Amino acid sequence: MELTFIIGEDRRDLVKDIQNFKIDFAKSTSNWVQARQYENAMRQVFVNMLNDDRTPFNLTGCNIVFEGLLPDKTTRIYDNWDGVILDPLTGQFRFDMPKQAFAIAGSYVQAFFRIMRDGDSVATLEFDMTVLADKVISGLIPADYITPIEDIMNQAEAKLRQTGIDCQALLDEWKQKFNDEFNAINNQSQEFEKSNQKLLDEWAQKFSDAVKEWSDNYTTLTAAKNALTEQYNTLQASFNSLQEQIEAKNLITTDTFKDQLAHNNVVTTETLATTDLNGLQVPFSVEHLAGNDLPRFVAYGYYGGAGIPQEQPCYGVPDVFALKLTADVKGNHTVVFEFSLAQLKQLLPDFDVTKATVNLSSTGKWVYLSSGSAATIGVQCLNTIFTEN
């Protein structure tokens, strides 16, 4: 099956009742996937990704995620294992659907792909995914299939299995020694019944030695058991927290993700640091916004010009960088921009974040932030305009 998505142009209307979310695919003749219950891995979907100008979407360095809510409206699929990028420069990838995706017959409540790269993501439009019933055989029980959790559980299972083998070896050795001695005593029960004190003393000594060996190893076994219990409790707490966020339809917040990365030393605090340019506030107009809309912004860094075509360039072809941007909208119709400090140091090293000034474009769609150097930050307002102070 082959699907095609155009990032920036594909759109559909909002559903009328968001509480009873249901997309009407009755009039759609494209972008559908149909399979039979209990199919496993061999159901492949080939996907073409295009920009809104019909040029291929560059998939270099991307990870493909399939997200779906099954027909029972409860079971979820979040699969980042099974996407295979065929040709990144032409925007083509293949997704091998896992068997968990076909556990329930009916139409998916929602199914789409998410393209991830360097912590950023873009999602495709939903496609019609239908699972045909198999009334002859049965056996696959529907369950959430969240591959990040599967990774965690596989790692935990491997650690528990290895530790369990080490502990079990000690227990088996002691058990075998005890059984050997017990069998020896049992085979000599007649002599024991005749009050053979020598045999009784020998058995008692051997049993005492076995108990002493167990006692000597008890501390090691207890420490191993406590370590396993602590690891299990930690994993269970993480799993419960992630499950709560999944049920709330918020897999993980940005702040939580940053905290977990910093806590586990995946990245440094310096890498996560941001700057708001000394709280610099930029006013914008609300006249162009719908009643329930918020302003949206994108940011770029430049060298050799502010991103506007120059009749006589002074610095040759401008260097342009897409910047990570967080917008904090204030109640007085102003916005404070936060940028990644590490990214600014890497891409715009001579931009002074403590001396930023604002220049408004003639159309009001852009503001240019500069600090007296050749570096400039351009921020574009996508759905309204900036205004003077």
Side-chain angles (χ1 to χ4, degrees):
M1 296 183 179
E2 185 171 352
L3 309 179
T4 299
F5 296 100
I6 303 174
I7 301 299
E9 182 174 308
D10 285 343
R11 68 180 302 275
R12 65 166 177 79
D13 295 333
L14 291 173
V15 294
K16 294 181 179 180
D17 185 356
I18 195 67
Q19 297 299 325
N20 299 304
F21 186 92
K22 183 177 181 181
I23 304 172
D24 184 7
F25 290 105
K27 299 179 181 179
S28 175
T29 59
S30 62
N31 283 357
W32 57 270
V33 174
Q34 192 174 74
R36 182 74 64 180
Q37 268 186 295
Y38 316 127
E39 292 189 7
N40 182 12
M42 295 181 67
R43 179 62 66 179
Q44 297 177 332
V45 179
F46 295 87
V47 182
N48 298 305
M49 299 295 297
L50 302 176
N51 296 303
D52 54 4
D53 60 357
R54 297 303 196 279
T55 59
F57 184 88
N58 190 348
L59 295 175
T60 301
C62 291
N63 187 28
I64 311 300
V65 180
F66 169 68
E67 298 187 31
L69 181 59
L70 272 65
D72 62 357
K73 300 182 180 181
T74 300
T75 307
R76 291 171 169 81
I77 302 291
Y78 184 93
D79 183 0
N80 65 353
W81 285 352
D82 297 310
V84 180
I85 296 178
L86 303 177
D87 191 342
L89 297 182
T90 61
Q92 295 180 337
F93 69 86
R94 186 188 79 231
F95 204 92
D96 303 331
M97 292 294 180
K99 64 182 179 181
Q100 289 81 357
F102 308 120
I104 303 173
S107 295
Y108 266 57
V109 178
Q110 188 178 41
F112 61 91
F113 293 107
R114 186 177 295 280
I115 315 300
M116 308 286 293
R117 178 165 55 200
D118 296 332
D120 298 328
S121 72
V122 62
T124 69
L125 203 61
E126 291 95 339
F127 58 90
D128 184 8
M129 185 159 175
T130 306
V131 181
L132 303 178
D134 185 341
K135 296 300 183 181
V136 179
I137 62 174
S138 62
L140 186 60
I141 299 175
D144 287 339
Y145 184 63
I146 313 297
T147 52
I149 297 179
E150 295 291 328
D151 286 333
I152 295 174
M153 298 305 292
N154 288 341
Q155 294 173 11
E157 183 179 356
K159 290 184 178 180
L160 291 173
R161 185 183 298 112
Q162 181 59 47
T163 307
I165 291 174
D166 296 341
C167 294
Q168 190 63 43
L170 292 174
L171 292 173
D172 290 344
E173 181 182 357
W174 181 87
K175 180 179 179 181
Q176 185 60 46
K177 289 182 178 181
F178 181 82
N179 286 338
D180 291 345
E181 297 301 327
F182 181 81
N183 290 335
I185 295 300
N186 189 53
N187 292 334
Q188 300 178 27
S189 58
Q190 292 182 352
E191 289 79 0
F192 183 77
E193 292 175 356
K194 296 177 181 180
S195 302
N196 190 330
Q197 189 63 43
K198 181 179 178 181
L199 181 60
L200 179 61
D201 293 342
E202 182 180 352
W203 182 89
Q205 183 60 47
K206 290 181 177 180
F207 181 78
S208 176
D209 292 341
V211 171
K212 182 178 183 301
E213 183 176 356
W214 165 257
S215 179
D216 292 342
N217 290 315
Y218 178 78
T219 302
T220 301
L221 292 173
T222 301
K225 171 183 173 298
N226 292 340
L228 284 173
T229 301
E230 183 178 355
Q231 292 178 12
Y232 174 80
N233 291 338
T234 301
L235 289 172
Q236 186 65 46
S238 299
F239 175 81
N240 291 341
S241 175
L242 187 56
Q243 184 68 24
E244 290 175 0
Q245 295 180 49
I246 292 173
E247 293 175 354
K249 299 180 180 179
N250 177 24
L251 289 180
I252 187 166
T253 64
T254 301
D255 290 340
T256 302
F257 184 63
K258 288 182 177 180
D259 291 343
Q260 291 178 358
L261 290 178
H263 178 71
N264 292 285
N265 295 322
V266 177
V267 293
T268 63
T269 304
E270 181 180 356
T271 304
L272 299 175
T274 60
T275 177
D276 61 1
L277 306 181
N278 281 344
L280 183 65
Q281 296 191 15
V282 181
F284 62 87
S285 172
V286 296
E287 296 179 0
H288 303 276
L289 294 175
N292 59 349
D293 199 6
L294 289 174
R296 300 188 298 275
F297 309 94
V298 292
Y300 304 92
Y302 307 93
Y303 270 109
I308 301 175
Q310 306 290 324
E311 294 181 0
Q312 295 181 346
C314 297
Y315 302 94
V317 179
D319 292 326
V320 182
F321 314 99
L323 299 179
K324 298 177 182 178
L325 172 66
T326 301
D328 183 8
V329 178
K330 304 298 182 181
N332 58 351
H333 305 156
T334 61
V335 61
V336 175
F337 298 120
E338 286 199 10
F339 300 92
S340 167
L341 198 55
Q343 188 185 41
L344 291 183
K345 288 181 178 179
Q346 178 185 3
L347 300 179
L348 304 173
D350 54 350
F351 188 94
D352 189 345
V353 298
T354 65
K355 299 180 180 180
T357 59
V358 177
N359 295 293
L360 183 64
S361 72
S362 59
T363 61
K365 296 296 291 184
W366 291 80
V367 292
Y368 300 105
L369 310 177
S370 60
S371 63
S373 67
T376 304
I377 296 176
V379 182
Q380 182 185 14
C381 190
L382 300 177
N383 59 346
T384 184
I385 61 173
F386 294 105
T387 61
E388 297 285 354
N389 290 325

